[in-house]
Amino acid sequence: VGSVTSQGEIHTFWGKTNQVNQHAAKPGDISELRKIINQKQNGKDKYKQVDEYTPQQGWQRQRMEGATPQHPISELVPIVDWSIAPPDISIQWDF
């Protein structure tokens, strides 16, 4: 994950899938971030860009016509049904 702040810093975040837990920051602008993205996409590991966000327009995949959510509502199932769960059940966090 990469971002650029209005103060001219590039922030990058990385880690294993579903475990983005490392961070670095350095001076730079959007053109520098794009260079980093190109290096990752064309490097030996061949990373792929999965989405892009802009504050004015939001996530690119959501803007595309006919785009469907990654997890449609019908696939989501609550971990606990609180209407029938016993009072001593603890919350089961998914992260």
Side-chain angles (χ1 to χ4, degrees), residues 23-39:
H23 170 258
K26 65 180 183 177
D29 58 16
I30 191 67
S31 64
E32 291 294 319
L33 178 58
R34 295 214 183 276
K35 286 180 189 175
I36 294 169
I37 292 169
N38 288 334
Q39 289 171 351

Side-chain angles (χ1 to χ4, degrees), residues 17-83:
T17 302
N18 294 326
Q19 296 178 8
V20 178
N21 57 8
Q22 297 178 68
H23 170 258
K26 65 180 183 177
D29 58 16
I30 191 67
S31 64
E32 291 294 319
L33 178 58
R34 295 214 183 276
K35 286 180 189 175
I36 294 169
I37 292 169
N38 288 334
Q39 289 171 351
K40 294 293 183 181
Q41 290 176 330
N42 297 316
K44 66 176 183 155
D45 292 329
K46 299 282 184 190
Y47 285 84
K48 291 183 170 68
Q49 184 171 333
V50 295
D51 210 345
E52 187 167 337
Y53 179 86
T54 58
Q56 298 82 11
Q57 298 176 320
W59 292 101
Q60 180 179 6
R61 287 184 63 159
Q62 292 177 350
R63 292 191 315 262
M64 295 170 42
E65 280 192 64
T68 56
Q70 243 181 337
H71 301 288
I73 298 295
S74 61
E75 291 181 17
L76 301 178
V77 178
I79 294 173
V80 176
D81 181 347
W82 294 107
S83 65

